[in-house]
Amino acid sequence: MEKPKKKQYHHCIPRFILRQFQYGEPGTSTQSDSNPAPAYVPPMRRQRSNSNWRSSITGLKGLKLEIIHFYDVRKGQLAQKQLAKVYGQNNLYRDLKHPTNVDHLEEKLAHLEQEASTVLRAVHLAIPHRGFTISRAELATLRKFLFLMHYRNDAMATRYFEETNPQNAPLVDWIRQYKDKRQLDSNSDVWLDGLRYYLETPHHQIVATAEALKEQYGQERINEMLRKRVDPELDDFHAIEYEGLANYFFLGVWEAAPGTEFILGGNGFGLWEGLVYNTPGVHRLYVVSPRIVIVLRRTILRQPHANDPSVLYSCLADVEIPQPSVSLADKKIYQQAMSAPTEALGRKLIDHYRTTKLAQGDMFTFEIIKLSQEETYAVNEVALLNSNIQDNGSITFSSPSCMLDTLRAYMSSKNTFLGGKKSLFNPLYEKLSSMVASPHTPSSADGRPMVSPTSPLGTDSDADRQFHTFLRYMLLQGVEFPSDYNRSYLVYQMATAGPTLENAFSANIRSMEDEAIAKLKGSYAPPPPSRLTGPRPIQRLKEVLSVDESRQFFTTMARFMDPLGVGKRSHDPLSTVAYEAAMIGVAKWIVLRRPHNLADDLQPFVHLTPLN
């Protein structure tokens, strides 16, 4: 009998990208503002054995280890970790339905990564020239790589086709039918089968399949299915997902401003930014190195009316993404298409040409746009926001000095999106301040670095508009939370963080909280004097709960709150969000002001900090 294969660590973020965030010896910065590091160029695979390309430290028995900075947002810990064991999990792509080679998907991914690394190497080499040229075949490789960088995330393995996920309600019948047809046992099997399809099917064929389905069903019918119920007999749903990114987003390349760097989050590939027609996703961002971010922008932004504030909300929409110049291998194809009897026939000629071997030699020249410092920080804010709402959020960076500057900008930002979560990065700020000798680091009287506090929203004149935008994101599932509790905790922090938030939604949360506390004060007397003397642990409400813990918390708080008549859950999503946010505020008050009245079933949601 064949022995079972050993566990294999499969990366969600390819190692060739993680290597670009390496640093030298521990405790040293890779660059200074006055002497920025050159753009990293991934070495070709054949060069690696003969070149000193690894940034390393000496480990046991002289082993050279590839090391990156890794900040665990929830734990508040900055560590130096081997990139071989971060941003992935064991056997993520192992396909047990393929017993002759359970690792065939990992092997195909490795091949795609090798091809993509060659394209990205060309991009990095072209930074001094402000532009680069690649073939249609290379562009297709890059497009597929970007799509799979989002799809292959470890969280997607269980969530992408999870039948109980409310966001997947239109897909439930399709998922069940798909499992039956292919004899798949789990949601993860469906995800793996989709990964197999994407890896084995050429880019142009996937797009052509989706376009044929749209022609068969009609665009309106496809849109209706995605909203209500996908036809269980639609075998090629995977193609529709892919085509949406391929045909409705155009590609651009941005370079970080001088003296700055992009940062990498654990879920930092394909992050949404901006709203258009109240739909999340003006941009999708893919940080591929400290210098370069690949950007996909909605094609609708090429239309003149898209700049209307009632249509568009985005911090990055003003950043230029020029259209590439194209050199066709067949110079006559567009002339033939223009001469076709009908527009539809001309379009078919072009579509057919794009699938030919000749067309793969078409050349595309892209301009690399250098961002300003503010624009670079805006890109990084998207990564920081997403890392602090995930229960396993993390950040990786190359230069400690650049990361410190990014945190300064982040902590001083009045953007309501950041809410009360800035404090999660205080430990990182303190650590970086001690690592980087900087004349800009503020110090207290005793010489210790001062951490920029979680500042209120203060004088931000459009704080209410930003908060409303966040709520729209949330209701449209543009921002995902590990649990309802985590969502409510952030909403409460944002709604009560500063006095300038005067919108009715924030006022309603504060009003329900104040009224409930006033009524509870009559039932819960202050602690007796003896309870206030002597050292005791500091009790705080936890910021993160699992789905099951979240459900238990709100059930418990409903027993406190519902009889008070200050609010209720309803079929209106916003009313429910407001009420649950008020529950967070009341729970915080009970924990802080009436700890002796804590019911036993509220204790699991309290974090105890022992006094030294």
Side-chain angles (χ1 to χ4, degrees), residues 213-348:
L213 287 171
K214 289 186 174 183
E215 188 172 337
Q216 174 187 344
Y217 284 90
Q219 183 66 59
E220 290 187 9
R221 173 68 178 127
I222 292 289
N223 292 341
E224 182 184 9
M225 283 196 289
L226 294 175
R227 290 193 307 269
K228 297 180 179 180
R229 179 179 180 267
V230 174
D231 184 354
E233 301 299 328
L234 199 161
D235 288 337
D236 296 307
F237 175 78
H238 293 299
I240 292 178
E241 288 276 283
Y242 187 96
E243 185 264 350
L245 200 66
N247 280 351
Y248 295 96
F249 289 81
F250 59 94
L251 185 144
V253 179
W254 293 342
E255 180 192 2
T260 68
E261 291 180 348
F262 295 121
I263 62 176
L264 184 66
N267 63 335
F269 287 87
L271 292 178
W272 295 109
E273 188 280 333
L275 292 168
V276 58
Y277 287 114
N278 287 330
T279 301
V282 175
H283 300 97
R284 295 189 76 165
L285 306 174
Y286 304 81
V287 173
V288 295
S289 80
R291 300 302 315 151
I292 291 294
V293 59
I294 307 294
V295 186
L296 297 182
R297 174 177 284 174
R298 288 280 293 272
T299 54
I300 194 174
L301 265 68
R302 284 177 169 163
Q303 300 177 10
H305 71 276
N307 290 326
D308 188 326
S310 65
V311 172
L312 176 69
Y313 177 83
S314 170
C315 298
L316 300 171
D318 291 334
V319 182
E320 186 182 6
I321 300 183
Q323 293 194 46
S325 60
V326 184
S327 176
L328 298 177
D330 184 349
K331 308 294 184 183
K332 299 179 181 179
I333 184 62
Y334 275 100
Q335 182 179 352
Q336 294 172 4
M338 293 292 292
S339 303
T342 65
E343 181 180 346
L345 183 57
R347 189 166 56 249
K348 283 187 176 181

Side-chain angles (χ1 to χ4, degrees), residues 16-17 103 202 218 236 272 302 308 333 393 404 415 542 546 570 578:
F16 82 86
I17 288 179
D103 291 322
D236 296 307
W272 295 109
R302 284 177 169 163
D308 188 326
I333 184 62
L404 183 59
N415 191 339
K542 292 181 179 179
S546 68
S570 71

Side-chain angles (χ1 to χ4, degrees), residues 119 133-144 203-204 207 242 247 325-330 333-334 349-366:
V119 177
T133 301
I134 57 176
S135 68
R136 182 183 295 277
E138 291 170 322
L139 180 58
T141 294
L142 182 58
R143 282 286 200 160
K144 179 180 285 192
H203 167 86
H204 63 79
V207 174
Y242 187 96
N247 280 351
S325 60
V326 184
S327 176
L328 298 177
D330 184 349
I333 184 62
Y334 275 100
L349 282 173
I350 295 294
D351 291 342
H352 172 71
Y353 167 74
R354 289 172 177 169
T355 66
T356 64
K357 185 176 181 179
L358 178 63
Q360 304 316 302
D362 293 347
M363 303 305 292
F364 295 77
T365 300
F366 291 86

Side-chain angles (χ1 to χ4, degrees), residues 398-414:
S398 176
S399 164
S401 62
C402 288
M403 185 68 226
L404 183 59
D405 289 340
T406 294
L407 279 182
R408 288 195 186 104
Y410 177 79
M411 288 180 165
S412 63
S413 173
K414 297 182 177 67

